[in-house]
Amino acid sequence: MRTRIALPDDTLTRLRIALTVFFALDGFVFAGWVVRIPAIKQQTGASASALGLALLGVSAGAVITMMLTGRLCRRYGTHRVTVVCAVLLSLSVALPPLTHSAVALGAVLLIFGAAYGSINVAFNSAAVDLVGALRRPIMPSFHAAFSLGGMLGAGLGGLVAGALSPTRHLFGLTVIGLLVTAVAGRTLLRIPAPTPSQDVPRQTSAPRRQGTRTRGLVITFGLIALCTAYGEGALADWSALHLEHDLEATPGVAAVGYSCFALAMTIGRLTGTRLLERLGQTRTLVGGGTTAALGMLLGALAPSVWAALLGFMITGLGLANLFPVAVERAGRLAGPDGVAIASTLGYGGMLLGPPAIGFMADWFSLPAALTSVAALAATAAVIALLTRRAAG
């Protein structure tokens, strides 16, 4: 049992603002790195396959450290770990442009991925504690900040790409990241993490059985996160190709596909708190999964570009709040370890999506492969419906 720490409302508000800044910073830094991948590929002279292997370093570093971060959060506190990981993320983003081979790039991306995965576990765990203290379903607002930070980072990166080298651009991100961490981190370190005792599972009888049941539920919510992230990864990598090759869209229009999806997801997360207050978590998960499934069927099988774009937007609205709610539920059940398990499974879904779509596209067709996103979104809705009593 954790001791409940009651904090004044103004303190909780300052804590919410600080955590929102860290979510936005994470999205901003990661998107800034992503937009410079083509330039760094040219700098390292890596082939497409070598670059693909090097980029796996981000995923490998994240997955390896997520579970460790859960333990560190329990030992040192989510706020301290968040600040330390923000410093590491800001420093490590400057490393990729210093490399001149695919092997070296993969090595530094392991470090960057470790920092990226760790801060995601740390600030999601801190957010779960704050949601419990406020007794309001504000988790989607934090993920909306991540999305907005990503859009800002990608937009800024596109603007400066022609004027700044990757080294200068990413070093600039390091400076910005350290400055933001210094300001927001002071607030985070001064405020103790609120930990309502009623949110921690009681194990007064049959502790082993209850522990097994709790872990099973955490994994179940992790599967919902996996289904959601699978769709995000698939649309990020394959939506433009589907529009251009299957529906004969121009390259410019095809590029809009993922932007429509990302914008709709951001809007969905910005309105997620109100939606959760009205419908509750289970209805939001079931409704979101069903909406995403129908939207993706339209996006994958529509005969026209504009119908497909509409489908992508509906999919984004449907998927928007599934991941935040799943992570929050896992965190409520098992604390930072629950967040780590759900995040690891979710990240695995994002890794699984693009290659799985590629294999299915070779076996069948790309539109048929994209319907797997609809299938997994529907699966997430079914899981939420079947576990509604256990989750309650």
Side-chain angles (χ1 to χ4, degrees):
M1 297 285 290
R2 290 181 289 177
T3 303
R4 181 177 180 178
I5 300 175
L7 298 175
D9 288 344
D10 61 332
T11 302
L12 292 177
T13 300
R14 288 191 290 116
L15 178 56
R16 181 179 180 180
I17 292 172
L19 283 174
T20 299
V21 169
F22 278 109
F23 271 85
L25 176 65
D26 187 41
F28 178 80
V29 170
F30 189 79
W33 141 249
V34 167
V35 298
R36 300 317 297 255
I37 290 176
I40 292 174
K41 175 183 181 296
Q42 184 177 7
Q43 175 181 304
T44 59
S47 64
S49 58
L51 178 66
L53 289 174
L55 291 176
L56 283 177
V58 178
S59 307
V63 169
I64 290 170
T65 57
M66 278 180 169
M67 294 304 300
L68 173 62
T69 305
R71 300 189 189 99
L72 292 175
C73 287
R74 284 205 323 271
R75 182 168 183 177
Y76 298 106
T78 56
H79 293 185
R80 289 182 181 179
V81 177
T82 296
V83 173
V84 172
C85 290
V87 172
L88 294 176
L89 182 73
S90 300
L91 293 173
S92 61
V93 76
L95 298 178
L98 303 180
T99 62
H100 297 282
S101 70
V103 174
L105 178 62
V108 300
L109 288 181
L110 276 171
I111 301 173
F112 179 68
Y116 177 72
S118 296
I119 194 173
N120 273 268
V121 171
F123 60 39
N124 271 297
S125 299
V128 168
D129 289 337
L130 181 57
V131 168
L134 289 173
R135 299 181 179 276
R136 289 193 65 210
I138 61 169
M139 196 69 169
S141 68
F142 292 120
H143 288 259
F146 173 85
S147 299
L148 290 171
M151 294 172 66
L152 180 61
L156 178 63
L159 288 175
V160 305
L164 295 178
S165 66
T167 302
R168 291 183 176 181
H169 175 202
L170 297 186
F171 180 74
L173 295 186
T174 294
V175 174
I176 293 172
L178 292 176
L179 289 175
V180 170
T181 300
V183 175
R186 291 179 64 187
T187 300
L188 209 58
L189 292 175
R190 288 177 177 177
I191 300 175
T195 52
S197 59
Q198 62 266 32
D199 288 335
V200 180
R202 297 177 63 91
Q203 296 189 11
T204 55
S205 63
R208 179 174 298 178
R209 184 172 60 189
Q210 288 193 4
T212 302
R213 177 177 176 272
T214 297
R215 187 173 182 85
L217 282 173
V218 167
I219 293 174
T220 299
F221 297 136
L223 291 177
I224 294 177
L226 184 151
C227 293
T228 305
Y230 176 96
E232 291 187 53
L235 281 166
D237 284 17
W238 292 101
S239 58
L241 192 64
H242 169 58
L243 293 173
E244 188 171 345
H245 286 191
D246 297 320
L247 300 179
E248 299 181 350
T250 64
V253 173
V256 172
Y258 182 71
S259 298
C260 289
F261 169 79
L263 179 61
M265 179 169 277
T266 302
I267 293 171
R269 287 174 170 174
L270 287 171
T271 58
T273 296
R274 183 170 298 179
L275 188 68
L276 285 164
E277 288 176 335
R278 282 194 170 192
L279 301 180
Q281 290 187 341
T282 297
R283 289 182 180 178
T284 299
L285 289 173
V286 174
T290 303
T291 300
L294 295 175
M296 198 59 225
L297 287 176
L298 176 62
L301 304 178
S304 69
V305 172
W306 302 112
L309 291 175
L310 176 61
F312 291 163
M313 292 190 72
I314 295 172
T315 303
L317 288 172
L319 292 180
N321 297 305
L322 269 64
F323 191 95
V325 172
V327 169
E328 182 196 344
R329 279 189 165 187
R332 288 287 190 95
L333 283 168
D337 286 341
V339 173
I341 292 171
S343 299
T344 301
L345 286 171
Y347 210 83
M350 189 168 288
L351 293 177
L352 176 65
I357 295 291
F359 283 120
M360 286 186 283
D362 286 338
W363 295 335
F364 308 107
S365 67
L366 182 53
L370 287 172
T371 61
S372 65
V373 175
L376 285 184
T379 300
V382 171
I383 292 173
L385 187 62
L386 293 177
T387 59
R388 63 189 183 280
R389 291 183 180 178

